[in-house]
Amino acid sequence: MFVTSKKASQLDNPFQSENESLKSKLKYNELKLAQLEGIKSAMPDPYYVRDMDYNVVLWPPAIAKLTGFSEEEAKKLKCYEMYRACVCPPVAECPTQRCVQTRQFLRDVAVDVFHKNGETIHCLVSNAGVYDEDGNPIGAVEIVKDNTINTIVQNTMNSISEIIKKIDAASGHLSTAMEQVNTVSRKVSDKSAESLSDIKIGVETGIAVSRKADDSSKYISNVQENINSINDSMKFSVDKISSLKNKSEAIVEFIKMIQEISSKTNLLSINASIEAAHAGESGRGFKVVADGIRELSKNSNESANSINSTVKDINELIKDVNTSFAVTEKDIEAGTNTISELLSFVNEISDSVKELMNIINMTERATETTSYHIEEQNTTFVEVSKVGKELSVISKELTQEFENVIKVIQHTDMG
């Protein structure tokens, strides 16, 4: 039922004027109702008509189907008792009521209403006021379109937008991580280059040591030959004792040289151990070799000291050669055996140095290979970082596109 306003009559007979005015208003309301009934077939969306007291005047089948309330049920209830929206009385002031009173209107405003069975219906609501011939508000028409599918689409778009934001964040983290890894890789590459330089120095030093070892072997062989000559000479003549003494002094010089070589070899082994420690796990085998060289150097030094002591004994024996020639001959033989052992030690040192050289060469090749792989890895990291940045750009573009789509879907809530 519509709420109507009264209009003062200008007729002389007040009763006749009042009756005619009432008939006129009833006729006007019937005309309005007929007009509203007439738009049923032309209105594609569910709508209904109510008066200013929230009573239902028209309740077409489309709105009955949408809400689950029949026309008979609807006309027994206030419209807000059926919709139960957050903008409906008594919770809030009805926006439609306010629009009719201020001669404004709403168009496709998002609001959630409830079906008779309690299910939520996502709707887009439009309204328009109904006024009498004097322009007084007597009711309203509300068009209620089901927007559930659009809401689902909007929620899906929002979810996709969140996923894109996560992809954007992940791509940013990926780029940052790749840059950090690339920085560390560059540092490793620089350290590898330094190690390669140190290894080359080690190769040169190893070559020098190897030459020294070969020279030592030659010197020791000469000493051995000299002792044999002395031994032969003693069998022929005691006069050769003087020559033997000279040879013994030569042996002392050789021993000094051997001790010097042994000292340098020991220093080299210490440096090799330090470099092996710097190399970490990959230098463990290198350290073992270095320790072996140090031990051989120690043994060589001890042997040289022993030879030096023996030569001194030989010099003392020379003084008493006339009385103890037989003893001296045995001592010379012992010295010959000791030199043979020393020659064997020097040869072992030479072999160890050669083995050390092989290890250094292998380490050099491995370091060069590592540097090559690090460069390849750095190139890969750069490419991955570029992909991450491109992914970030794409995600930003997708985010913008989805935001544009969401703006088309979104509407301002009623109230």
Side-chain angles (χ1 to χ4, degrees):
M1 134 178 216
F2 290 84
V3 176
T4 61
S5 65
K6 295 182 179 181
K7 181 179 180 184
S9 174
Q10 302 297 326
L11 299 177
D12 294 334
N13 189 337
F15 295 104
Q16 182 180 1
S17 175
E18 183 176 352
N19 289 335
E20 289 179 356
S21 177
L22 180 60
K23 289 179 181 179
S24 176
K25 289 184 180 297
L26 290 174
K27 185 176 181 181
Y28 179 81
N29 290 340
E30 289 175 358
L31 178 62
K32 284 284 185 181
L33 188 61
Q35 290 175 348
L36 294 173
E37 287 279 3
I39 65 174
K40 283 184 179 180
S41 59
M43 180 67 68
D45 297 313
Y47 77 97
Y48 76 101
V49 181
R50 69 170 179 84
D51 62 20
M52 296 301 290
D53 291 326
Y54 306 101
N55 297 308
V56 174
V57 177
L58 282 180
W59 193 258
I63 194 71
K65 181 179 179 181
L66 177 66
T67 63
F69 290 96
S70 66
E71 183 178 8
E72 182 180 358
E73 292 173 324
K75 289 184 176 181
K76 293 179 181 179
L77 299 170
K78 303 288 187 181
C79 61
Y80 58 77
E81 292 177 332
M82 291 182 288
Y83 289 137
R84 293 169 288 163
C86 63
V87 295
C88 287
V91 178
E93 180 185 358
C94 177
T96 296
Q97 193 85 344
R98 186 168 63 249
C99 286
V100 174
Q101 292 171 345
T102 58
R103 293 185 176 276
Q104 297 177 349
F105 63 90
L106 300 175
R107 181 175 181 179
D108 288 341
V109 179
V111 63
D112 290 343
V113 300
F114 291 90
H115 191 273
K116 180 180 178 181
N117 61 14
E119 295 180 356
T120 302
I121 307 173
H122 304 291
C123 297
L124 294 177
V125 177
S126 302
N127 63 23
V130 180
Y131 304 90
D132 64 14
E133 58 186 352
D134 296 325
N136 297 313
I138 59 176
V141 178
E142 286 191 350
I143 302 172
V144 185
K145 296 188 290 187
D146 188 353
N147 193 44
T148 303
I149 294 178
N150 287 340
T151 302
I152 293 173
V153 171
Q154 180 176 340
N155 293 335
T156 302
M157 300 290 268
N158 290 335
S159 299
I160 294 174
S161 179
E162 290 300 320
I163 293 173
I164 291 174
K165 289 179 180 178
K166 291 180 180 179
I167 292 174
D168 184 31
S171 63
H173 292 321
L174 175 63
S175 297
T176 301
M178 287 299 101
E179 289 175 358
Q180 291 175 349
V181 171
N182 191 31
T183 300
V184 174
S185 181
R186 288 293 180 188
K187 291 181 180 179
V188 172
S189 180
D190 293 340
K191 290 295 182 182
S192 178
E194 292 177 5
S195 298
L196 183 60
S197 177
D198 293 339
I199 289 172
K200 290 180 178 179
I201 294 173
V203 170
E204 294 174 357
T205 305
I207 292 172
V209 171
S210 179
R211 290 174 179 172
K212 291 289 185 182
D214 291 339
D215 292 340
S216 297
S217 179
K218 293 177 181 179
Y219 289 139
I220 293 172
S221 296
N222 292 334
V223 171
Q224 190 175 32
E225 292 176 359
N226 291 334
I227 290 177
N228 290 332
S229 297
I230 292 171
N231 190 32
D232 293 337
S233 297
M234 288 181 63
K235 293 179 180 179
F236 293 103
S237 176
V238 176
D239 294 336
K240 298 295 181 179
I241 292 176
S242 179
S243 177
L244 178 59
K245 182 179 180 181
N246 293 334
K247 294 295 184 181
S248 296
E249 291 174 352
I251 292 172
V252 172
E253 293 300 320
F254 290 142
I255 290 172
K256 289 180 180 180
M257 185 177 296
I258 292 170
Q259 288 176 330
E260 182 180 356
I261 293 171
S262 177
S263 176
K264 291 182 179 179
T265 303
N266 185 53
L267 180 60
L268 177 62
S269 67
I270 291 173
N271 291 333
S273 296
I274 293 172
E275 291 300 321
H278 288 167
E281 185 65 24
S282 61
R284 180 176 294 179
F286 190 78
K287 184 178 181 305
V288 173
V289 175
D291 291 341
I293 293 173
R294 190 186 300 116
E295 186 65 24
L296 289 173
S297 175
K298 179 181 177 182
N299 292 338
S300 298
N301 190 50
E302 291 175 354
S303 298
N305 290 334
S306 176
I307 293 171
N308 189 38
S309 177
T310 301
V311 171
K312 289 181 180 180
D313 292 338
I314 292 173
N315 289 332
E316 291 295 327
L317 290 173
I318 289 174
K319 297 178 182 179
D320 301 326
V321 68
N322 291 327
T323 58
S324 57
F325 180 78
V327 176
T328 301
E329 186 177 8
K330 292 180 180 179
D331 288 338
I332 291 176
E333 184 178 355
T336 302
N337 293 333
T338 302
I339 290 178
S340 297
E341 293 177 0
L342 178 60
L343 180 61
S344 177
F345 286 141
V346 171
N347 290 333
E348 289 179 3
I349 291 174
S350 180
D351 293 338
S352 298
V353 169
K354 290 177 181 179
E355 185 176 353
L356 177 61
M357 289 294 298
N358 290 333
I359 294 174
I360 291 175
N361 289 330
M362 291 174 62
T363 305
E364 182 181 14
R365 289 193 295 271
T367 304
E368 290 175 346
T369 303
T370 302
S371 298
Y372 173 76
H373 288 310
I374 288 175
E375 288 299 324
E376 284 189 333
Q377 179 176 293
N378 290 341
T379 303
T380 303
F381 286 156
V382 170
E383 293 300 322
V384 172
S385 180
K386 288 181 180 178
V387 171
K389 291 178 181 178
E390 291 174 359
L391 181 61
S392 178
V393 172
I394 292 172
S395 64
K396 284 183 173 63
E397 292 176 352
L398 287 175
T399 300
Q400 185 61 46
E401 290 298 326
F402 277 112
E403 287 177 353
N404 293 337
V405 174
I406 290 173
K407 287 179 182 177
V408 175
I409 297 174
Q410 288 178 331
H411 298 274
T412 305
D413 290 343
M414 294 183 70

